[in-house]
Amino acid sequence: MLDFEEEIRRFQPSLEVGEVEDAIVKEDLTDMTDLMVELLKSKKE
Protein backbone atom coordinates (compact mmCIF):
# COMPACT_ATOMS: atom_id res chain seq x y z
CA MET A 1 0.00 0.00 0.00
CA LEU A 2 1.21 3.51 -0.77
CA ASP A 3 2.20 5.81 2.05
CA PHE A 4 0.96 9.11 0.65
CA GLU A 5 2.70 11.20 3.30
CA GLU A 6 6.05 9.58 2.41
CA GLU A 7 5.41 10.09 -1.31
CA ILE A 8 4.63 13.78 -0.74
CA ARG A 9 7.86 14.22 1.26
CA ARG A 10 9.91 12.63 -1.54
CA PHE A 11 8.12 14.51 -4.34
CA GLN A 12 10.29 16.77 -6.47
CA PRO A 13 8.44 18.86 -9.04
CA SER A 14 9.57 18.68 -12.63
CA LEU A 15 10.98 21.70 -14.40
CA GLU A 16 8.57 24.25 -15.78
CA VAL A 17 8.38 24.58 -19.56
CA GLY A 18 10.47 27.75 -19.59
CA GLU A 19 13.15 26.17 -17.41
CA VAL A 20 13.28 23.12 -19.65
CA GLU A 21 13.69 25.35 -22.71
CA ASP A 22 16.55 27.22 -21.02
CA ALA A 23 18.24 23.97 -19.98
CA ILE A 24 18.02 22.59 -23.52
CA VAL A 25 19.23 25.79 -25.18
CA LYS A 26 22.25 25.99 -22.85
CA GLU A 27 23.37 22.50 -23.89
CA ASP A 28 25.53 22.16 -26.96
CA LEU A 29 23.56 19.46 -28.68
CA THR A 30 24.64 18.19 -32.07
CA ASP A 31 21.91 16.36 -33.91
CA MET A 32 21.80 14.62 -37.27
CA THR A 33 20.79 17.84 -39.04
CA ASP A 34 23.90 19.62 -37.72
CA LEU A 35 26.06 16.71 -38.84
CA MET A 36 24.53 16.70 -42.33
CA VAL A 37 25.03 20.48 -42.69
CA GLU A 38 28.69 20.14 -41.71
CA LEU A 39 29.12 17.23 -44.12
CA LEU A 40 27.58 19.21 -46.98
CA LYS A 41 29.72 22.27 -46.18
CA SER A 42 32.89 20.21 -46.25
CA LYS A 43 31.85 18.53 -49.52
CA LYS A 44 31.35 21.94 -51.23
CA GLU A 45 34.89 23.06 -50.36
Side-chain angles (χ1 to χ4, degrees), residues 2-45:
L2 289 176
D3 181 359
F4 289 106
E5 295 300 322
E6 177 65 24
E7 292 297 323
I8 289 172
R9 279 194 294 276
R10 294 188 327 188
F11 174 74
Q12 294 182 1
S14 61
L15 295 175
E16 295 296 324
V17 172
E19 293 170 333
V20 170
E21 290 174 350
D22 291 341
I24 291 171
V25 170
K26 288 179 184 175
E27 291 294 319
D28 182 23
L29 301 175
T30 302
D31 61 8
M32 286 301 293
T33 304
D34 296 330
L35 295 173
M36 292 300 291
V37 168
E38 289 299 317
L39 182 64
L40 291 171
K41 281 182 186 177
S42 66
K43 189 161 179 110
K44 285 181 182 180
E45 295 173 352

